[in-house]
Amino acid sequence: MTAEAGTRLRADARRNRDQIMAAAKEVFAELGPDVPMEEIARRAGVGVGTLYRRFPDREALIRAVAQENFGAVLDDARAATAEEPTAWDALVRLMRRSRDLRLSVRLAVLSPSAWAAMRDDPQIRQLRDGIMAALDDLVRAAQAEGVLRDDVGPGDVAALVSLLLRRVPADSDATAELIAERALVVILDGLRADPGSPLPGRPVTIRDLGD
Amino acid sequence: MTAEAGTRLRADARRNRDQIMAAAKEVFAELGPDVPMEEIARRAGVGVGTLYRRFPDREALIRAVAQENFGAVLDDARAATAEEPTAWDALVRLMRRSRDLRLSVRLAVLSPSAWAAMRDDPQIRQLRDGIMAALDDLVRAAQAEGVLRDDVGPGDVAALVSLLLRRVPADSDATAELIAERALVVILDGLRADPGSPLPGRPVTIRDLGD
DNA sequence: CGCAACCGGAAGGTTCTCGTCCACATCAGT
DNA sequence: ACTGATGTGGACGAGAACCTTCCGGTTGCG
């Protein structure tokens, strides 16, 4: 990363790289961006040396992982927009799928240094902007459909999603999953246009979230 | 603090102790339970030595802070139950006020060791149980009133609250506050009995959250 | 078969934190 | 005001955790 152009990797090297990325996603999401590099290497089943040859330092690894994640979410956002029958449905799908963003959000929120590494990467920034733009469109469209309440802004939705990324304490991973799903449905119901109480303040935009 | 019976503290010592507690609450909530002791001391305007004389180790400090926090929330839960006209109102107030629990939750969630320190303290456990019992009552009562949707359990509500404790990224503390408040209202609307979509699975109880 | 490319993990060096200790300051009673 | 007890600050030594490099040995590939 940062610079790894032309040279094709040897087959085993390629495999190791993928394992490292997978392990990094897991571990970052689970323990945050400050986990020892050795932990990542261990889970990937490789030595630390291998890790460092592929990614010059922790920051590079973070960037690589964030890129892949944001990319996946952006792809899905576009797919959802194209495939789902209504904007509301697409929005729901996006929010649900966004759990894959969990990682990136954790990275962004937990560690200032990780966040800095990300915001300075133009490619990541571009992906993020793309996601936000898609979200913006979906919110507007869903409101035009009359399903999404009018007094929320894309920023509100983004914030709500980021809340859902929190790991709730539960006695097992399965119930944690269930709880998260139920929470999502509750929130979706809260986002419906129905009666509801008026929200305080003005709709929150993406820009309100800070860059 | 594990043991600090009869001896009355000198006036200035007492003041320092309070400052330490206040600083600890702040810092724990902000940076998590692993912040260097020195950081806490600095914010309290005292030396590390003072901190260590008052609280033999980090664990003792955490326990003390958690006790005070849980106690405050429990008091408010009871006050809300007694003072608010309806159970729903009381529930809303509790959820809103619970932001003061932010700290304790962060402690509990972020660091296994902090969590262990808390669950082993009988007094803290008792406070927690009290809070949960109050929540349980309120949920039941609010459902009897017909305002709270029937398919949620106290565990769902607790989980939702814990979500709200997350610090959302925003360009300023003020907008962060606004966003959190708006999110709360959205969630409350989602909790109303209205039409809404049915939740998957069974209502989540306190016990589902694990001890 | 031979050469790159690649691998694992030991080890050096740096950074960070804890918790103690003690010379000095401050309080409170006479 | 005086004095002993109580309290205070922060330098410091020990120790742990981590990052990153380095190199003998291994493995894919032409």
Side-chain angles (χ1 to χ4, degrees):
Chain A
M1 296 295 105
T2 338
E4 175 153 316
T7 49
R8 288 180 58 87
L9 277 64
R10 226 167 64 178
D12 55 343
R14 173 73 194 170
R15 197 177 335 133
N16 279 335
R17 205 198 105 101
D18 291 346
Q19 284 169 344
I20 290 174
M21 287 284 278
K25 284 186 199 174
E26 254 188 49
V27 179
F28 280 149
E30 192 170 323
L31 287 326
D34 293 325
V35 288
M37 294 295 249
E38 193 179 341
E39 171 70 18
I40 300 173
R42 180 150 43 90
R43 291 221 203 178
V46 306
V48 232
T50 306
L51 175 44
Y52 272 96
R53 182 157 346 85
R54 221 42 76 197
F55 304 92
D57 55 20
R58 149 181 264 104
E59 201 176 287
L61 178 58
I62 288 181
R63 274 201 300 267
V65 167
Q67 275 182 25
E68 236 185 61
N69 254 40
F70 275 124
V73 172
L74 179 53
D75 286 350
D76 197 70
R78 287 182 173 146
T81 305
E83 297 166 9
E84 298 298 327
T86 71
W88 170 261
D89 286 325
L91 193 57
V92 171
R93 168 165 158 189
L94 176 58
M95 289 180 72
R96 191 165 271 131
R97 178 77 157 73
S98 276
R99 202 165 307 183
D100 294 348
L101 225 182
R102 166 159 31 194
L103 190 177
S104 310
V105 168
R106 280 203 67 149
L107 290 180
V109 170
L110 251 48
S111 156
S113 66
W115 176 229
M118 290 175 50
R119 54 184 294 177
D120 287 350
D121 183 313
Q123 196 167 342
I124 291 181
R125 179 165 279 279
Q126 195 178 333
L127 289 171
R128 193 200 108 113
D129 290 347
I131 294 174
M132 291 311 181
L135 177 62
D136 209 287
D137 291 344
L138 284 180
V139 166
R140 227 187 299 278
Q143 284 172 336
E145 288 172 354
V147 188
L148 178 64
R149 61 194 296 170
D150 275 321
D151 54 354
V152 299
D156 288 301
V157 177
L160 255 355
V161 169
S162 99
L163 291 187
L164 279 173
L165 303 175
R166 210 175 194 327
R167 275 233 295 197
V168 287
D171 56 1
S172 82
D173 284 354
T175 60
E177 208 55 35
L178 175 63
I179 290 176
E181 179 62 23
R182 289 169 61 86
L184 173 60
V185 176
V186 168
I187 288 178
L188 287 174
D189 279 348
L191 285 176
R192 283 214 161 75
D194 300 315
S197 356
L199 299 181
R202 308 193 152 280
V204 178
T205 68
I206 298 292
R207 316 207 47 184
D208 290 327
L209 299 184
D211 41 2
Chain B
M1 120 166 34
T2 337
E4 173 153 316
T7 48
R8 287 179 58 89
L9 275 65
R10 226 168 64 179
D12 56 342
R14 174 71 193 171
R15 198 177 333 135
N16 278 336
R17 205 196 106 101
D18 292 345
Q19 284 171 344
I20 291 174
M21 286 283 278
K25 285 186 198 173
E26 254 188 50
V27 179
F28 280 149
E30 191 171 323
L31 288 325
D34 293 324
V35 288
M37 293 295 249
E38 194 180 341
E39 171 70 18
I40 299 174
R42 181 150 40 92
R43 290 222 205 178
V46 305
V48 225
T50 306
L51 176 45
Y52 273 100
R53 181 158 345 85
R54 219 45 76 195
F55 304 93
D57 55 21
R58 151 180 265 104
E59 201 176 287
L61 178 58
I62 288 180
R63 273 200 302 266
V65 167
Q67 275 182 24
E68 237 185 60
N69 254 41
F70 275 124
V73 172
L74 179 53
D75 287 350
D76 197 69
R78 286 181 175 148
T81 305
E83 297 168 9
E84 299 297 329
T86 72
W88 170 261
D89 287 324
L91 192 57
V92 171
R93 168 166 159 188
L94 177 58
M95 289 180 70
R96 192 165 271 130
R97 179 76 156 74
S98 275
R99 202 166 307 183
D100 294 349
L101 227 182
R102 167 161 28 193
L103 191 177
S104 310
V105 168
R106 281 202 66 150
L107 290 181
V109 170
L110 251 48
S111 155
S113 67
W115 176 229
M118 289 174 49
R119 54 184 296 175
D120 288 350
D121 182 313
Q123 196 166 344
I124 291 181
R125 178 164 279 278
Q126 195 177 332
L127 289 171
R128 194 201 106 115
D129 290 346
I131 294 174
M132 291 311 180
L135 177 62
D136 209 287
D137 291 345
L138 284 180
V139 166
R140 227 188 300 280
Q143 284 171 337
E145 287 173 354
V147 187
L148 179 65
R149 62 195 295 170
D150 275 321
D151 54 356
V152 300
D156 288 302
V157 177
L160 255 356
V161 169
S162 100
L163 290 187
L164 279 173
L165 302 175
R166 215 180 190 320
R167 276 231 296 196
V168 287
D171 56 0
S172 81
D173 285 354
T175 60
E177 206 57 33
L178 176 62
I179 290 174
E181 179 62 22
R182 288 168 63 85
L184 172 60
V185 176
V186 168
I187 289 177
L188 287 174
D189 279 347
L191 285 175
R192 283 214 161 75
D194 300 313
S197 356
L199 299 181
R202 309 193 153 281
V204 178
T205 68
I206 298 291
R207 316 206 47 182
D208 290 327
L209 299 184
D211 40 5

